[in-house]
Amino acid sequence: MAEIEINSLMKQFGAFQAVNDVNITVNNGEFVFLLGPSGCGKTTTLRMIAGLEMPSSGRIAIGGRNVTFLRPRHRNVGMVFQDYGLYRHLTVFGNIAYPLEVRRLQRAEIARKVNAVARTMQITEVLQRKPDQLSAGQLQRVAIARMLVRDADVFLMDEPMSHLDAQLRGQMRAELRHIQKSVGVTTIFVTHDQLEAMTMADRIIVMKDGEMLQFATPREIFERPATEFVATFVGEPQMNVFDVRITRIEGKVAAMTEDFVIPLDGTWVQEKGVENLVGQGVRLGVRPEHISVSDKADGSHGVAAELYSFEPTGAENLYVLQCGGVTITTRSSTTETAHLDKGEGSRLYAGFDPNWIYLFEPGSGRTIAQATASRSENEEM
Ligand code: ATP
């Protein structure tokens, strides 16, 4: 087990800046996710930690030891990559045993360790098969077993579940999280799948264009995103964000589009200086679960909408509404909206929860203010 400390990490490929000033400390035993869209520099960052790529500048320490320019085998890291990297000519047993044979462990000791890890990963019955005789799920288990079998200080995983179908991915999320917590080895996991990161991570680093946008717990990332990009990257369906003008109507601060008005009230409006934005254009964000739908206009449902599409997901109903020029997705429980029209073109009314509104700076995307009800980490979401 070891802490990972990364300072001012940079990587250029020619003139292209792939990783730009990454600074993180991953605590002993922590499960940290690098999350971001394709090409944002996640894999390059992970490869620098593994020693497969040399940084242009910066420092990487594992367990207090400067490993920045050490070869991979001198870092004691266990890895699983997207393509698994299994040897086709070796059996599953041979593949898992390989890192132990490199370390010249005794035969009996190797067999004991391989059998133990095979039991954990539930692959005992395929130990004598070759990789091309395995399903995608089994291949992934073998690759993870090979990582687990070593007494590594750190585990690094790059999109290890990308070849699995949705059902198996769901199952593996819980299983991997359980295994990581029981072995307690500091782990960094790369993914572009926000659900994977949100459900498994202790903390998430959101990256874009080689830079870290935020490093925080899943809940903080979800409830207190640092930027519009972070806000829309996590959460499914994604946060609704549209242009508004901050205005004052009958003495009260409100956000206005060409078609409707959202009153802004609560202490956050004063605390965050939203009044100073009167007259300015900003981006307003609200998550689908914080918009309710009604078939009657009333005090809490003042925004007239036309139903663009209705998407039942089983437990929940998604209503995609056309509110003048703004398209908004809402999400509510099936029972809550059971009585509502589901036909395209129906007239409905939307209500924005005043306790869950975000304002972002146009251009930079920085979060200017948010009305998120303050809740402690221990409360239910
Ligand atoms: P993905 O999820 O698609 O793997 P990523 O976030 O892991 O994306 P990286 O693989 O780290 O992204 O790549 C970051 C950027 O650096 C990309 O634009 C990529 O094209 C570029 N890049 C990566 N490796 C090299 C290389 N060896 N030479 C030149 N450019 C590279």
Side-chain angles (χ1 to χ4, degrees):
M1 286 223 285
E3 181 183 276
I4 304 171
E5 204 177 341
I6 297 176
N7 301 109
S8 311
L9 192 66
M10 301 274 198
K11 180 68 187 179
Q12 281 115 12
F13 293 110
F16 179 72
Q17 189 79 44
V19 175
N20 191 5
D21 197 21
V22 164
N23 291 281
I24 46 177
T25 301
V26 179
N27 299 324
N28 228 336
E30 204 176 10
F31 202 4
V32 164
F33 277 60
L34 277 172
L35 173 69
S38 183
C40 73
K42 310 178 293 289
T43 295
T44 306
T45 303
L46 200 77
R47 286 172 59 81
M48 288 193 279
I49 302 169
L52 299 169
E53 197 82 68
M54 288 299 132
S56 303
S57 61
R59 183 176 185 275
I60 301 169
I62 297 178
R65 188 166 67 112
N66 184 354
V67 300
T68 315
F69 297 108
L70 289 188
R71 286 167 189 272
R73 65 192 152 95
H74 294 134
R75 298 185 184 211
N76 200 24
V77 297
M79 290 177 260
V80 177
F81 290 105
Q82 204 167 356
D83 60 4
Y84 306 140
L86 299 175
Y87 297 112
R88 296 173 61 124
H89 64 286
L90 294 180
T91 60
V92 167
F93 185 98
N95 268 285
I96 302 173
Y98 188 77
L100 305 180
E101 282 167 0
V102 170
R103 281 176 175 67
R104 300 187 200 291
L105 262 65
Q106 301 227 317
R107 212 163 256 282
E109 174 72 353
I110 291 177
R112 192 186 60 75
K113 285 187 177 244
V114 172
N115 286 320
V117 82
R119 272 197 301 278
T120 306
M121 292 311 298
Q122 298 165 30
I123 47 171
T124 304
E125 70 282 11
V126 298
L127 279 174
Q128 295 315 317
R129 288 199 207 159
K130 298 266 178 71
D132 59 8
Q133 298 169 310
L134 301 178
S135 69
Q138 288 167 330
L139 282 171
Q140 193 229 20
R141 285 170 183 276
V142 175
I144 293 171
R146 190 180 53 177
M147 177 188 79
L148 291 173
V149 82
R150 303 181 34 196
D151 295 318
D153 290 330
V154 165
F155 291 153
L156 303 175
M157 309 177 88
D158 191 356
E159 306 257 12
M161 308 211 269
S162 56
H163 298 304
L164 305 185
D165 63 39
Q167 198 179 359
L168 211 47
R169 270 214 302 271
Q171 188 185 327
M172 278 313 288
R173 282 203 300 268
E175 216 172 300
L176 257 187
R177 163 104 192 152
H178 180 81
I179 290 170
Q180 196 278 337
K181 285 297 145 210
S182 39
V183 295
V185 174
T186 314
T187 305
I188 302 185
F189 189 116
V190 160
T191 185
H192 63 272
D193 180 345
Q194 60 93 23
L195 185 64
E196 240 165 60
M198 292 298 285
T199 51
M200 293 164 74
D202 292 326
R203 284 193 294 167
I204 300 173
I205 300 159
V206 183
M207 285 186 77
K208 180 173 181 265
D209 300 332
E211 295 186 10
M212 283 173 58
L213 298 182
Q214 193 166 2
F215 183 17
T217 62
R219 165 168 282 188
E220 278 174 72
I221 298 267
F222 189 77
E223 293 190 350
R224 301 181 181 282
T227 69
E228 178 181 332
F229 178 85
V230 176
T232 52
F233 201 76
V234 299
E236 173 62 33
Q238 73 175 36
M239 182 188 280
N240 299 285
V241 185
F242 46 91
D243 292 322
V244 296
R245 182 158 293 280
I246 303 297
T247 183
R248 204 184 287 278
I249 299 174
E250 294 168 3
K252 293 194 171 150
V253 181
M256 195 169 73
T257 72
E258 284 180 11
D259 304 286
F260 57 89
V261 169
I262 303 172
L264 300 180
D265 46 28
T267 52
W268 69 285
V269 173
Q270 286 83 47
E271 284 166 16
K272 303 288 163 81
V274 179
E275 288 169 322
N276 302 333
L277 299 171
V278 169
Q280 289 184 35
V282 299
R283 307 262 301 149
L284 184 141
V286 58
R287 291 205 183 274
E289 52 274 35
H290 297 135
I291 306 171
S292 56
V293 194
S294 170
D295 47 7
K296 292 181 203 65
D298 57 34
S300 17
H301 298 93
V303 179
E306 189 175 294
L307 182 58
Y308 177 77
S309 84
F310 170 71
E311 299 171 17
T313 66
E316 290 175 334
N317 285 335
L318 306 183
Y319 281 80
V320 182
L321 303 174
Q322 199 60 49
C323 306
V326 179
T327 308
I328 283 166
T329 301
T330 78
R331 185 177 129 183
S332 36
S333 75
T334 321
T335 41
E336 225 175 288
T337 44
H339 63 289
L340 291 183
D341 272 345
K342 295 163 180 61
E344 283 170 24
S346 305
R347 165 63 68 194
L348 292 168
Y349 297 89
F352 296 79
D353 183 342
N355 295 314
W356 290 96
I357 284 175
Y358 299 78
L359 299 180
F360 305 108
E361 190 173 69
S364 77
R366 188 179 59 85
T367 306
I368 309 170
Q370 62 189 69
T372 44
S374 170
R375 292 192 294 198
S376 78
E377 283 278 322
N378 298 326
E379 282 178 80
E380 289 301 310
M381 273 181 105

